[in-house]
Amino acid sequence: MKLTRKVKEILSWYESDNPGTKANLARILMTGRLAGTGRMVILPVDQGFEHGPARSFAPNPPAYDPLYHFELAIEAGLNAYAAPLGMIEAGAATYAGCVPTILKVNSSNSLSTTKDQAVTATVADALRLGCSAIGFTIYPGSEHQFEMMEELRELAAEAKSCGLAVVVWSYPRGPMLDKVGETALDICAYAAHMAALLGAHIIKVKPPTEAISLDAAKKTYEANPVEVKNAAARIAHVVQSCFAGRRLVVFSGGEAKSSAALLDEVRAIHAGGGNGSIVGRNAFQRPKEEALKLLSDMIEIYRSRV
Amino acid sequence: MKLTRKVKEILSWYESDNPGTKANLARILMTGRLAGTGRMVILPVDQGFEHGPARSFAPNPPAYDPLYHFELAIEAGLNAYAAPLGMIEAGAATYAGCVPTILKVNSSNSLSTTKDQAVTATVADALRLGCSAIGFTIYPGSEHQFEMMEELRELAAEAKSCGLAVVVWSYPRGPMLDKVGETALDICAYAAHMAALLGAHIIKVKPPTEAISLDAAKKTYEANPVEVKNAAARIAHVVQSCFAGRRLVVFSGGEAKSSAALLDEVRAIHAGGGNGSIVGRNAFQRPKEEALKLLSDMIEIYRSRV
Amino acid sequence: MKLTRKVKEILSWYESDNPGTKANLARILMTGRLAGTGRMVILPVDQGFEHGPARSFAPNPPAYDPLYHFELAIEAGLNAYAAPLGMIEAGAATYAGCVPTILKVNSSNSLSTTKDQAVTATVADALRLGCSAIGFTIYPGSEHQFEMMEELRELAAEAKSCGLAVVVWSYPRGPMLDKVGETALDICAYAAHMAALLGAHIIKVKPPTEAISLDAAKKTYEANPVEVKNAAARIAHVVQSCFAGRRLVVFSGGEAKSSAALLDEVRAIHAGGGNGSIVGRNAFQRPKEEALKLLSDMIEIYRSRV
Amino acid sequence: MKLTRKVKEILSWYESDNPGTKANLARILMTGRLAGTGRMVILPVDQGFEHGPARSFAPNPPAYDPLYHFELAIEAGLNAYAAPLGMIEAGAATYAGCVPTILKVNSSNSLSTTKDQAVTATVADALRLGCSAIGFTIYPGSEHQFEMMEELRELAAEAKSCGLAVVVWSYPRGPMLDKVGETALDICAYAAHMAALLGAHIIKVKPPTEAISLDAAKKTYEANPVEVKNAAARIAHVVQSCFAGRRLVVFSGGEAKSSAALLDEVRAIHAGGGNGSIVGRNAFQRPKEEALKLLSDMIEIYRSRV
Amino acid sequence: MKLTRKVKEILSWYESDNPGTKANLARILMTGRLAGTGRMVILPVDQGFEHGPARSFAPNPPAYDPLYHFELAIEAGLNAYAAPLGMIEAGAATYAGCVPTILKVNSSNSLSTTKDQAVTATVADALRLGCSAIGFTIYPGSEHQFEMMEELRELAAEAKSCGLAVVVWSYPRGPMLDKVGETALDICAYAAHMAALLGAHIIKVKPPTEAISLDAAKKTYEANPVEVKNAAARIAHVVQSCFAGRRLVVFSGGEAKSSAALLDEVRAIHAGGGNGSIVGRNAFQRPKEEALKLLSDMIEIYRSRV
């Protein structure tokens, strides 16, 4: 496999990383139908933990089987598949070498009343399961944010020393943020920036809305305006907040929605210079053929010229 | 000993596990009168911890003696015997090699006012006592759920690395759950699924009732109905939530009840595709001969064709 | 030294222990005037920590000197001497090999407002000081009970692996227990049983009263009555709760009281099958000659035929 | 490179440190336009963490790129560049050996409601990234101050053993301090002194105001007056509190302000015997040419004779 | 250097300690003008941490310099000098071998609202700095007392294993104690006894007042009266509570006071059999010549026959 110029450039941004980590980043970037483009579509399946099995899989019952998701990611030509320990354990041998996997090492659930997650897997698990990366969620703004960041520090340092990549889900929430604030532009950019500062290789955030949430930030955005009505401009601001684009950033699909709405979002991500999508429920809650069609449409957008 | 096709199939589901763990799973599945069937009946004796010695053993005083339970499990032809540290230490040498043992490594008690357990034994204990597995209880939904899951992560990782199997008791409770919620169908399926995601080899839950507890789940169950009036259908939904049946799931017997009621439950578990029963008070609180008769009747049901 | 049949039988109950731990149990059981009988009288001196030096030693000032207690235990022909770190350090070399010592590794004090103890010594301390056992207090029912049990788990596992014995003081207290509850029969039996489940070799509890404290237990005791008016029957119930007598259980003397009252208690312990007494203030707060006389009287009772 | 007499004298104050740490202190003191003078100007860029990316970098967008700051520090001839993990990782290889770096190993953010920070990097990170020092913030007076000091103890001990220097940001806050108190003269001197006691090599505090905050201290300052109206005298008091000047102390620039105001502050620091400035927003929020001019003016002041 | 009979006797009390620790105790006891007498005067300088630099050093500005205190201790012929990490680091090489040092490994400050301290240094620090002992404060009665005792357990065990001595500052405070209670006779004796039980080699308490604080203790003191009006008798009771005098106990000087008052206190300590004084503010807040005179007068009292 020969790296494309684009992938070589991206790897050059991670100049402090060891060859093992670079190889795993390259593996993710050189897999699937977007191989070599610097864009990615990733399948995450941790909704069983977050929302329960029925809410996640009943709309498309074959998805109860962990093997289904490996196959979906492979058939769709995605860059990687991310899931918690049990899901990866269930298929890691069968699909060894078929698709890069990201072990989600912390998880929350719908029975929790705190803004925290349990660390449910380790770097050692990722290594024994042949994963290319670990995935970790932080909740910037939560009362537990510092412990979460410290858990990430330990796991990320160990992952990097072992040649793995680190993917950070950065989802702001907590006493200073209402529902609007959690996806406000300033907050989303801040969350992405913190993930970059914490040493993430790939950052996952939600697509930002037009809102500006923190009073302290409003003056700044008035003095240095972002074209907030333009979804691509908002994406570009998040990309800028990821070290001026020197860190890969992907955007989540969120709740199941219409294909048209999702593809509009993808066009904005693409136009704004985002590195791709990480799309779960919109993929596995559809019948497989529909899912493959939608994923293919997304990929086509990312393959097009900006 | 030659593995049956059924047991070989089950072991194939645990494709990420090392040969040591597979051997211990096989040991449990190939022991007793249900050997080779993929079904199990397990004797758990941690009620002395949970409810105190008199409430547990006064109805059948020979059960005060830890050796009694080893003998009961062996004479009844059960698959395994599970108990806390002191109980296993008391007979592990006498009955070495006679019946697979599961070391229950955390425990609560009736004097506690919190929804938590103490970790009272270790993987090193399980190894020195010749156990085949560790057993661990989580309380999904409890204020302590994340710490419990993190304790499980550590113990399970160590157990797996040492060739032991991991049995998870998943008992939902906490601020979002009333008494009905704790055994509601959606909650029971969710609890089983989380245990699977956490990497359990064998999952223990309570038989689910007809209730649906979480508001967020009701819409899902309306759109994708489960035949909740049918006990076997409820069991099948839990089995489905255990990775579409790719993880072993057994059901607890609960409080002492009539043999008829218990056997009805067993028939539903059998019909719904559950992997068996884990039955304590209903076994050791009866005079031994009665207990052997009841356990034999249960086994006969599990040996029958579905 | 040749073990008696009784001691050999007792050691056989500890079938999971290594020869080092068995040797230390044997050392305790084969020392003093009760050597070989399976009964013990132990001198514990942690009251300086619990109540302060003056309340403990002013009634008999020579007892301010740590060497006094070693000598008292030796002269009285007791089985062992238990004390906190500083007390053992002060005489361990002078009396090396003269009497088995039990290092009390956690302690509370009268200035505390919580139901917890500090871990004040380690297994390494016990080894360097030539002790035969560690002693650890748990408060079943306390808000701190789970942490205490987890501390015990760690210390007990390490002690056992190093060939030491483990003595557990099990003193119930906490939000569900009033003063009567703390020494109620059901609670005392429960506390002793939990210590056994946690892997204690020797269990220390207070003599139980006639009360039954937990509502949930009352039905059990009505259906399966214990002769609560009979002190020996109460002791026998506690012995039964210690794995049907397969774990050594000794009873504390409590506050200083008349010799007659104390000897009555000893007679009940003896008649009920308890393994002996652990008596502090009633020993060291008397002038030495009186203490020796009382201890001798106790020993005589334990040496008599039941 | 030959050390100046001044730098040799400064190194002599750190008589307990190993040659590795002395070499890194020398590296910082012998770099840039102030090399050899015992004065320093340091560029810190952790405002992205503290205030978010837009509030930090939107006024001068090239500053979104981590490489910008390395270049600014090098072009301006500064002594060192301090930043969190991700910022250093992004340029550590490109600028290896070009400017001493200080890895900021803990960080807070504007979404936090507690007076604490997360430890976000380690000594191992500093070593693999070729840093000369770690930087750590304490909040003396905060409810979390003792944990922060204990984290510092661990990190500082490890850093020193590995030949790194330790820079401590000492920012008082907490229940006993209002806004005025946080920069009051007595508090600032106290904060600097605590950093020295904790073993810091370089101490960073805010320039003190005229206020005296603690009632208990007022009597002392009345009996032993400091000329509080004189900024240089206030600086001198802080220097005195750093072991009579035997520890390096630098002063932060704070919010962006006019060049004139900043240079006045620098003159006071210089006159009072402070060891220099650590200036972030006032440097990188200006267009680069303006920043270089301002930094040059600062350096000129520090190069002048007092 | 030949040990005196008195010092040999004292060392014999520490019979469980290794030769390294005995040598360091001997070093302290055989240094200065009280060498060989079994009495000590120690200079502690942690007031900069506890009260701030100005309140500590402004009355005598040369004391801002850490070297001043080494010199004061040496010139005055004291037994040892105790201080926090930074203070020892600043002069440990210059004064290596000139005076035994005690590294104070935990510290509080006047900005704290909790009754706790931060652990600010380690045994490894004490070893690399050539110290003879570590010093640790406990607050018996505080809500944090158990954690503090557990920290002490760990540090003391490590110190002893490395041949260092352990000095414990035992200062009672907390919810059960008012200001009077903190220095009451029963409480002071209790605090000293607990330090002894925790394994301290040298115990530091405040001189006790006439008060008896704990209700539970009053009966004891009535039945076994101490001559509370007599300062020497109170000291003797504390000495008795330190294992009947088998542990070294020194008394703090407290706030700066008149020389006459201080010398009266010293006479009582001497007459009551206390092992000496640990005097900070009364020493370093005076001009050096005055301090040397006062320390000399104290030493003369300790050198006199009782």
Side-chain angles (χ1 to χ4, degrees):
Chain A
M1 188 175 66
K2 200 144 169 297
L3 303 187
T4 61
R5 189 174 313 190
K6 182 70 198 166
V7 169
K8 282 186 189 167
E9 184 201 1
I10 291 173
L11 294 184
S12 78
W13 300 336
Y14 298 93
E15 60 180 68
S16 72
D17 282 296
N18 65 26
T21 296
K22 288 189 181 186
N24 270 314
L25 282 171
R27 223 160 264 144
I28 293 170
L29 290 163
M30 295 301 293
T31 292
R33 291 180 54 209
L34 286 167
T37 64
R39 308 292 172 127
M40 296 173 278
V41 177
I42 296 171
L43 176 68
V45 190
D46 56 351
Q47 295 78 2
F49 228 133
E50 301 282 329
H51 308 127
R55 283 172 70 196
S56 301
F57 306 128
N60 178 36
Y64 277 108
D65 187 335
L67 305 194
Y68 177 84
H69 303 283
F70 283 93
E71 282 167 16
L72 179 61
I74 294 165
E75 285 187 43
L78 303 191
N79 295 73
Y81 165 53
L85 183 67
M87 296 284 276
I88 299 289
E89 286 186 332
T94 299
Y95 299 99
C98 301
V99 61
T101 51
I102 299 166
L103 182 63
K104 189 74 200 330
V105 295
N106 66 345
S107 295
S108 186
N109 62 61
S110 298
L111 303 178
S112 167
T113 54
T114 65
K115 291 180 171 62
D116 192 8
Q117 298 213 339
V119 177
T120 55
T122 65
V123 170
D125 288 322
L127 291 170
R128 72 177 168 88
L129 295 169
C131 302
S132 291
I134 59 165
F136 190 94
T137 297
I138 54 172
Y139 293 150
S142 150
E143 293 92 336
H144 297 276
Q145 67 169 333
F146 291 152
E147 298 100 295
M148 296 182 95
M149 289 176 181
E150 295 186 346
E151 290 164 347
L152 172 56
R153 179 199 74 225
E154 284 195 20
L155 288 161
E158 188 184 357
K160 290 176 184 179
S161 77
C162 297
L164 297 178
V166 177
V167 185
V168 174
W169 276 237
S170 193
Y171 287 173
R173 56 195 63 181
M176 293 183 60
L177 297 171
D178 55 16
K179 267 290 152 198
V180 167
E182 291 181 359
T183 54
L185 177 58
D186 61 324
I187 298 301
C188 183
Y190 198 170
H193 186 63
M194 282 196 261
L197 290 173
L198 291 163
H201 297 108
I202 300 175
I203 296 158
K204 177 192 174 187
V205 289
K206 294 187 182 166
T209 67
E210 305 176 17
I212 302 293
S213 172
L214 282 190
D215 282 339
K218 281 176 185 162
K219 206 165 45 172
T220 290
Y221 282 93
E222 278 161 23
N224 310 277
V226 171
E227 204 185 322
V228 296
K229 298 286 179 196
N230 179 330
R234 296 194 305 262
I235 295 289
H237 180 58
V238 174
V239 169
Q240 182 183 45
S241 297
C242 294
F243 292 174
R246 299 177 77 87
R247 290 292 174 265
L248 293 161
V249 57
V250 296
F251 295 83
S252 58
E255 288 189 27
K257 56 185 80 159
S258 75
S259 296
L262 190 66
L263 293 173
D264 277 350
E265 241 174 50
V266 167
R267 278 180 205 102
I269 296 166
H270 189 45
N275 297 94
S277 293
I278 179 157
V279 54
R281 280 169 288 175
N282 281 290
F284 66 71
Q285 290 188 343
R286 281 169 167 80
K288 196 174 184 187
E289 287 314 306
E290 283 182 35
L292 289 172
K293 172 73 175 70
L294 176 61
L295 291 166
S296 179
D297 291 348
M298 290 173 63
I299 287 170
E300 283 310 313
I301 293 171
Y302 284 122
R303 287 168 61 100
S304 67
R305 299 248 161 204
V306 185
Chain B
M1 187 174 67
K2 201 147 169 295
L3 303 187
T4 61
R5 189 174 314 189
K6 183 68 198 168
V7 169
K8 281 186 190 167
E9 184 201 359
I10 291 172
L11 293 185
S12 79
W13 299 336
Y14 297 92
E15 61 180 66
S16 72
D17 281 296
N18 64 26
T21 296
K22 288 188 182 186
N24 270 314
L25 282 170
R27 223 159 264 145
I28 294 169
L29 289 163
M30 296 300 292
T31 291
R33 291 181 53 209
L34 286 167
T37 64
R39 308 292 171 127
M40 296 173 279
V41 176
I42 296 171
L43 176 69
V45 189
D46 55 351
Q47 294 78 2
F49 228 134
E50 301 282 330
H51 308 128
R55 284 173 67 196
S56 301
F57 307 128
N60 179 35
Y64 277 109
D65 187 335
L67 304 194
Y68 177 84
H69 303 283
F70 282 92
E71 281 167 16
L72 179 61
I74 294 165
E75 284 186 45
L78 304 191
N79 295 72
Y81 164 54
L85 183 67
M87 296 283 277
I88 300 289
E89 285 186 333
T94 299
Y95 299 99
C98 301
V99 60
T101 51
I102 299 166
L103 183 64
K104 189 75 199 330
V105 295
N106 66 346
S107 294
S108 186
N109 63 61
S110 298
L111 303 179
S112 167
T113 54
T114 64
K115 292 180 170 61
D116 193 9
Q117 298 214 339
V119 177
T120 55
T122 64
V123 170
D125 289 321
L127 292 170
R128 71 177 168 89
L129 296 169
C131 301
S132 291
I134 60 165
F136 190 94
T137 298
I138 53 172
Y139 293 148
S142 150
E143 293 92 336
H144 298 276
Q145 67 170 333
F146 291 153
E147 297 100 294
M148 296 182 95
M149 288 176 181
E150 295 186 346
E151 289 164 348
L152 172 56
R153 179 200 75 226
E154 284 194 21
L155 288 161
E158 188 184 357
K160 290 176 184 179
S161 77
C162 296
L164 298 178
V166 176
V167 185
V168 174
W169 276 238
S170 193
Y171 287 173
R173 57 194 62 180
M176 293 182 62
L177 296 171
D178 55 16
K179 267 290 153 199
V180 168
E182 291 181 0
T183 53
L185 177 59
D186 61 323
I187 298 301
C188 184
Y190 198 169
H193 187 62
M194 282 196 261
L197 290 173
L198 291 164
H201 298 108
I202 301 176
I203 296 158
K204 177 191 174 187
V205 289
K206 293 186 181 164
T209 67
E210 306 176 17
I212 303 293
S213 170
L214 282 190
D215 283 338
K218 281 175 184 162
K219 205 164 45 171
T220 290
Y221 283 94
E222 278 162 24
N224 311 276
V226 170
E227 205 185 321
V228 296
K229 299 285 179 196
N230 179 331
R234 296 195 304 263
I235 294 290
H237 180 57
V238 173
V239 169
Q240 183 183 44
S241 297
C242 293
F243 291 174
R246 299 176 78 86
R247 290 292 174 265
L248 294 161
V249 57
V250 295
F251 295 83
S252 57
E255 288 188 26
K257 54 185 81 157
S258 74
S259 297
L262 190 67
L263 294 174
D264 277 351
E265 241 175 51
V266 167
R267 278 180 204 101
I269 295 166
H270 190 46
N275 297 95
S277 294
I278 179 156
V279 54
R281 280 169 287 175
N282 281 290
F284 65 71
Q285 290 187 343
R286 281 169 167 81
K288 196 173 184 188
E289 287 313 307
E290 283 182 37
L292 289 173
K293 172 72 174 73
L294 177 61
L295 291 166
S296 179
D297 290 348
M298 291 172 64
I299 287 170
E300 282 312 312
I301 294 170
Y302 283 124
R303 288 168 61 98
S304 67
R305 298 245 164 208
V306 185
Chain C
M1 189 173 65
K2 200 145 170 296
L3 302 188
T4 61
R5 189 175 311 190
K6 183 67 198 167
V7 169
K8 281 186 189 167
E9 184 200 2
I10 291 172
L11 293 185
S12 78
W13 299 337
Y14 297 92
E15 61 180 67
S16 72
D17 281 297
N18 64 27
T21 296
K22 289 188 181 186
N24 270 314
L25 283 170
R27 221 159 266 145
I28 294 170
L29 289 163
M30 295 301 292
T31 291
R33 291 181 55 208
L34 287 167
T37 63
R39 308 292 172 128
M40 295 173 279
V41 177
I42 296 171
L43 175 69
V45 189
D46 55 350
Q47 294 79 1
F49 228 133
E50 300 283 330
H51 307 128
R55 284 173 67 197
S56 301
F57 307 128
N60 178 34
Y64 277 108
D65 186 337
L67 304 194
Y68 177 84
H69 303 282
F70 282 93
E71 281 167 18
L72 179 61
I74 294 165
E75 285 187 44
L78 304 191
N79 294 73
Y81 165 53
L85 183 67
M87 297 284 276
I88 299 289
E89 285 185 333
T94 298
Y95 299 99
C98 301
V99 61
T101 52
I102 300 167
L103 183 62
K104 188 75 199 330
V105 295
N106 66 345
S107 294
S108 186
N109 63 61
S110 298
L111 302 178
S112 167
T113 55
T114 65
K115 293 180 169 62
D116 193 7
Q117 299 214 338
V119 177
T120 55
T122 65
V123 170
D125 289 321
L127 292 170
R128 72 177 168 89
L129 296 169
C131 302
S132 290
I134 60 165
F136 190 94
T137 299
I138 53 172
Y139 293 149
S142 150
E143 294 92 336
H144 297 277
Q145 67 169 333
F146 291 152
E147 297 100 295
M148 296 182 97
M149 289 176 181
E150 296 185 346
E151 290 164 348
L152 172 56
R153 179 200 74 225
E154 284 194 21
L155 288 162
E158 189 184 356
K160 289 176 185 179
S161 76
C162 296
L164 297 178
V166 177
V167 185
V168 175
W169 277 237
S170 192
Y171 287 172
R173 57 194 63 181
M176 294 182 62
L177 296 172
D178 55 17
K179 268 290 153 197
V180 167
E182 291 182 0
T183 53
L185 177 59
D186 60 323
I187 298 301
C188 184
Y190 198 169
H193 187 63
M194 282 196 262
L197 290 173
L198 291 164
H201 297 108
I202 301 175
I203 296 158
K204 177 191 174 186
V205 289
K206 293 186 182 165
T209 66
E210 306 176 17
I212 303 292
S213 171
L214 282 189
D215 283 338
K218 282 176 184 162
K219 206 165 43 170
T220 290
Y221 282 94
E222 279 161 22
N224 310 278
V226 171
E227 204 185 323
V228 295
K229 299 285 179 199
N230 179 331
R234 297 196 303 264
I235 294 290
H237 181 57
V238 174
V239 169
Q240 182 182 45
S241 297
C242 293
F243 291 175
R246 299 176 78 87
R247 289 293 174 265
L248 293 161
V249 58
V250 295
F251 295 83
S252 57
E255 289 189 25
K257 56 185 79 157
S258 74
S259 296
L262 190 67
L263 294 174
D264 277 350
E265 241 175 50
V266 167
R267 279 181 204 100
I269 295 166
H270 189 45
N275 297 95
S277 293
I278 179 157
V279 53
R281 279 169 287 175
N282 281 291
F284 65 71
Q285 290 186 344
R286 279 170 168 81
K288 197 174 183 187
E289 287 314 307
E290 283 182 36
L292 290 173
K293 172 73 175 71
L294 177 61
L295 291 166
S296 179
D297 290 348
M298 292 173 62
I299 287 170
E300 283 311 314
I301 294 170
Y302 283 124
R303 287 169 62 99
S304 67
R305 298 246 163 208
V306 185
Chain D
M1 189 173 67
K2 200 145 169 295
L3 303 187
T4 61
R5 189 174 312 189
K6 182 70 198 166
V7 169
K8 282 187 191 167
E9 183 200 2
I10 291 173
L11 294 185
S12 78
W13 299 336
Y14 297 92
E15 62 180 66
S16 72
D17 282 295
N18 65 24
T21 296
K22 289 188 181 186
N24 271 314
L25 282 170
R27 222 159 266 145
I28 294 170
L29 290 163
M30 296 300 292
T31 291
R33 290 182 54 208
L34 287 167
T37 64
R39 309 293 171 126
M40 296 173 278
V41 177
I42 297 172
L43 175 68
V45 190
D46 55 350
Q47 295 78 2
F49 228 133
E50 301 282 329
H51 308 127
R55 283 172 69 196
S56 302
F57 307 129
N60 178 35
Y64 278 108
D65 187 335
L67 304 194
Y68 177 84
H69 303 283
F70 282 93
E71 282 168 16
L72 179 61
I74 293 165
E75 285 187 43
L78 304 191
N79 294 72
Y81 164 53
L85 184 67
M87 296 283 277
I88 300 289
E89 286 186 332
T94 299
Y95 299 99
C98 302
V99 61
T101 52
I102 299 167
L103 183 63
K104 188 75 199 329
V105 295
N106 66 345
S107 295
S108 186
N109 62 60
S110 299
L111 303 179
S112 168
T113 55
T114 64
K115 292 179 170 60
D116 193 9
Q117 298 213 339
V119 177
T120 55
T122 64
V123 170
D125 289 322
L127 292 171
R128 72 177 168 87
L129 295 169
C131 301
S132 291
I134 59 165
F136 190 93
T137 299
I138 54 172
Y139 293 150
S142 150
E143 294 92 336
H144 297 277
Q145 68 169 333
F146 291 151
E147 298 100 294
M148 296 181 96
M149 289 176 182
E150 295 185 346
E151 290 164 348
L152 172 56
R153 179 200 74 226
E154 285 195 20
L155 288 161
E158 189 185 356
K160 290 175 185 178
S161 77
C162 297
L164 297 179
V166 176
V167 186
V168 174
W169 277 237
S170 192
Y171 287 173
R173 56 195 63 181
M176 293 182 61
L177 297 172
D178 54 17
K179 267 290 153 199
V180 167
E182 292 180 0
T183 53
L185 176 59
D186 61 324
I187 298 300
C188 183
Y190 198 169
H193 187 63
M194 282 196 261
L197 290 173
L198 291 163
H201 298 106
I202 301 176
I203 296 159
K204 178 191 174 186
V205 290
K206 294 186 181 165
T209 66
E210 306 177 16
I212 302 293
S213 171
L214 282 190
D215 282 338
K218 282 176 185 161
K219 205 166 44 172
T220 290
Y221 283 94
E222 278 161 23
N224 311 276
V226 170
E227 203 185 323
V228 296
K229 298 286 179 196
N230 179 331
R234 298 195 303 264
I235 294 290
H237 181 57
V238 174
V239 169
Q240 181 182 45
S241 297
C242 293
F243 292 174
R246 300 176 77 87
R247 290 293 174 265
L248 294 161
V249 57
V250 295
F251 295 83
S252 57
E255 288 189 28
K257 56 185 79 159
S258 75
S259 297
L262 190 66
L263 293 174
D264 278 349
E265 241 174 51
V266 168
R267 277 180 205 102
I269 296 166
H270 189 45
N275 298 94
S277 293
I278 179 158
V279 54
R281 280 170 287 175
N282 281 290
F284 65 71
Q285 289 187 344
R286 280 168 167 79
K288 197 175 184 186
E289 287 313 307
E290 283 181 35
L292 289 172
K293 172 73 175 69
L294 176 61
L295 292 166
S296 178
D297 290 348
M298 291 173 64
I299 287 170
E300 284 310 313
I301 294 170
Y302 284 123
R303 287 168 62 99
S304 66
R305 299 245 162 206
V306 183
Chain E
M1 188 173 66
K2 199 143 170 296
L3 303 187
T4 60
R5 189 175 312 190
K6 183 69 197 167
V7 169
K8 281 187 191 167
E9 183 200 1
I10 292 173
L11 294 185
S12 79
W13 300 336
Y14 297 92
E15 62 180 65
S16 71
D17 281 296
N18 64 26
T21 296
K22 287 189 183 186
N24 270 314
L25 281 170
R27 222 159 266 146
I28 294 170
L29 289 163
M30 295 301 293
T31 291
R33 292 181 53 210
L34 287 167
T37 64
R39 309 292 171 127
M40 294 173 278
V41 177
I42 297 171
L43 176 68
V45 190
D46 56 350
Q47 294 79 0
F49 228 134
E50 300 283 330
H51 307 128
R55 284 173 67 196
S56 302
F57 307 128
N60 178 35
Y64 277 108
D65 187 336
L67 304 194
Y68 177 84
H69 303 282
F70 282 93
E71 282 167 16
L72 178 62
I74 293 165
E75 285 187 43
L78 304 191
N79 295 72
Y81 165 53
L85 183 67
M87 296 285 276
I88 299 289
E89 285 185 333
T94 298
Y95 299 99
C98 302
V99 61
T101 52
I102 300 166
L103 183 63
K104 189 76 199 330
V105 296
N106 66 345
S107 295
S108 186
N109 62 62
S110 298
L111 303 179
S112 167
T113 55
T114 64
K115 292 180 170 60
D116 193 7
Q117 299 214 339
V119 177
T120 55
T122 65
V123 170
D125 289 322
L127 291 170
R128 73 176 168 89
L129 295 170
C131 302
S132 291
I134 59 165
F136 190 94
T137 298
I138 54 171
Y139 293 149
S142 150
E143 295 92 336
H144 297 277
Q145 67 169 333
F146 291 152
E147 298 101 295
M148 295 182 97
M149 289 176 181
E150 296 185 346
E151 290 164 348
L152 172 56
R153 180 200 74 227
E154 285 194 20
L155 288 161
E158 189 184 357
K160 290 176 185 179
S161 76
C162 297
L164 298 179
V166 176
V167 185
V168 174
W169 277 237
S170 193
Y171 287 173
R173 56 195 64 181
M176 294 182 62
L177 296 172
D178 55 17
K179 267 289 153 200
V180 167
E182 291 181 1
T183 52
L185 177 59
D186 60 324
I187 298 301
C188 184
Y190 198 169
H193 187 63
M194 283 196 261
L197 290 173
L198 290 163
H201 297 108
I202 301 176
I203 296 159
K204 177 192 174 186
V205 290
K206 294 187 181 163
T209 66
E210 306 177 17
I212 302 293
S213 170
L214 282 190
D215 282 338
K218 282 176 185 162
K219 206 166 40 172
T220 290
Y221 282 93
E222 278 160 24
N224 310 276
V226 171
E227 203 185 323
V228 296
K229 299 284 179 199
N230 179 331
R234 297 196 302 265
I235 294 290
H237 181 57
V238 173
V239 169
Q240 183 183 45
S241 297
C242 293
F243 291 174
R246 300 176 77 87
R247 289 294 173 265
L248 294 161
V249 57
V250 296
F251 294 83
S252 57
E255 288 189 27
K257 56 184 78 156
S258 73
S259 296
L262 191 67
L263 293 174
D264 277 349
E265 241 175 51
V266 168
R267 278 182 204 101
I269 296 166
H270 189 45
N275 298 94
S277 293
I278 179 158
V279 53
R281 280 169 287 175
N282 282 291
F284 65 70
Q285 290 188 344
R286 280 169 168 80
K288 197 174 184 188
E289 287 313 307
E290 283 182 36
L292 289 172
K293 171 72 175 70
L294 176 61
L295 291 166
S296 179
D297 290 348
M298 291 173 63
I299 287 170
E300 283 311 313
I301 294 171
Y302 284 124
R303 286 167 63 98
S304 66
R305 298 245 163 208
V306 184

